[in-house]
Amino acid sequence: MEQFLKQFNLNYSNRTNPLYLASCAIASDMINHVRLSQFLTPTEIKQINQSKYQSKKHSLYLSRISAKFAISPWNPDLSLSEIQISNGVFSQPFIQCSHIQNISISITHCKNIGVTVSYPEELLIGVDLEVSSKQIFKIISRQLTTQELTLFNAFSLSQEHLSTILWTAKEALSKALHIGFTSELRLFAISSIRYVSNQYICQFQHFPQFKAYSISFEGFILTIVLPYHAKPN
């Protein structure tokens, strides 16, 4: 299993706080060879074992493991198997652990990769990861606003690439708000997009309090939504 962990410092309201981005990568057919008790609580292991489909087991594993890697820097002495990841009323993830307080998480997974951002709960942050694909364009093209359609003329990007940036920005915002896509997709409309320092920065028509940062790598688009005035470094 491949692992990655990076700390970012986030400046906001004259304060600086860390946030952690963690990822793990493991093929679906390798899960059966992993000692689950090393990473998961008994409840999480039961949840995975009761899943009928290998794809569901895979997604649960990726989300739980990446989440625990992102949470662990907040208490390095804590075993990963002591951290319980549960889901709220809108399926938003939250931490159940008496030794981790006032920390929130946002989780995403795609293919063989799981990604989690952990951050102080006073913030609202969301993350999404997708493969740039024609399928995403087919889904989102029916939901694009007139203003969003003009964005396709502003960049020399394929429809698939740009639509995946828009899609991940919207989904990451829905996660930051802790509601997911339980509202009409047009509510998360993008008002503008610009390219700065190898990343795409989107702003939202109805949520000017946030902005989205997207990067492209190996056919994937990774997007993080932050409060507008929070500055990562």
Side-chain angles (χ1 to χ4, degrees):
M1 177 171 58
E2 298 180 19
Q3 306 170 28
F4 172 84
L5 177 67
K6 184 174 178 61
Q7 176 183 336
F8 296 88
N9 291 318
L10 201 62
N11 301 318
Y12 61 96
S13 301
N14 297 318
R15 287 175 288 179
T16 300
N17 271 319
L19 63 84
Y20 296 94
L21 185 147
S23 69
C24 66
I26 186 170
S28 177
D29 58 0
M30 292 300 295
I31 294 177
N32 296 330
H33 303 286
V34 176
R35 185 162 61 89
L36 297 181
S37 60
Q38 181 180 355
F39 304 106
L40 306 178
T41 66
T43 299
E44 292 168 332
I45 293 173
K46 182 179 179 180
Q47 186 180 16
I48 287 177
N49 289 337
Q50 288 181 339
S51 299
K52 295 182 179 180
Y53 303 104
Q54 186 67 17
S55 60
K56 180 63 174 177
K57 291 182 179 182
H58 192 211
S59 65
L60 283 170
Y61 184 83
L62 288 171
S63 63
R64 276 17 183 198
I65 298 301
S66 68
K68 297 185 184 203
F69 288 153
I71 295 165
S72 62
W74 299 99
N75 189 340
D77 296 328
L78 198 62
S79 168
L80 298 184
S81 60
E82 297 179 73
I83 305 170
Q84 170 84 28
I85 308 299
S86 299
N87 294 98
V89 65
F90 293 120
S91 297
Q92 76 276 17
F94 66 93
I95 304 165
Q96 286 187 297
C97 180
S98 60
H99 302 291
I100 299 289
Q101 299 293 324
N102 307 318
I103 300 300
S104 292
I105 52 175
S106 181
I107 301 174
T108 184
H109 55 82
C110 183
K111 301 292 186 180
N112 292 332
I113 301 175
V115 178
T116 296
V117 174
S118 66
Y119 56 92
E121 67 177 6
E122 63 199 78
L123 295 169
L124 292 174
I125 294 175
V127 64
D128 193 48
L129 176 72
E130 296 285 353
V131 172
S132 179
S133 68
K134 293 181 179 179
Q135 184 61 32
I136 291 292
F137 176 69
K138 290 179 181 178
I139 294 171
I140 202 172
S141 61
R142 298 190 294 268
Q143 301 285 340
L144 293 175
T145 65
T146 301
Q147 188 169 3
E148 286 174 327
L149 287 170
T150 64
L151 299 177
F152 282 84
N153 301 321
F155 294 92
S156 57
L157 294 172
S158 67
Q159 289 182 329
E160 293 82 6
H161 200 77
L162 183 54
S163 62
T164 306
I165 292 172
L166 298 180
W167 177 270
T168 56
K170 294 180 181 189
E171 186 155 2
L173 175 61
S174 77
K175 292 177 180 180
L177 297 172
H178 293 178
I179 61 173
F181 279 151
T182 58
S183 298
E184 186 177 352
L185 199 58
R186 290 175 182 269
L187 180 66
F188 307 104
I190 307 295
S191 60
S192 67
I193 181 171
R194 54 196 175 95
Y195 186 70
V196 180
S197 301
N198 296 319
Q199 59 189 350
Y200 297 90
I201 303 176
C202 293
Q203 291 182 238
F204 300 94
Q205 182 177 348
H206 304 296
F207 293 94
Q209 312 95 319
F210 295 91
K211 56 185 172 183
Y213 297 83
S214 300
I215 61 170
S216 174
F217 68 98
E218 298 179 5
F220 291 91
I221 300 294
L222 175 66
T223 297
I224 298 178
V225 163
L226 302 172
Y228 184 84
H229 292 293
K231 300 184 183 301
N233 57 41

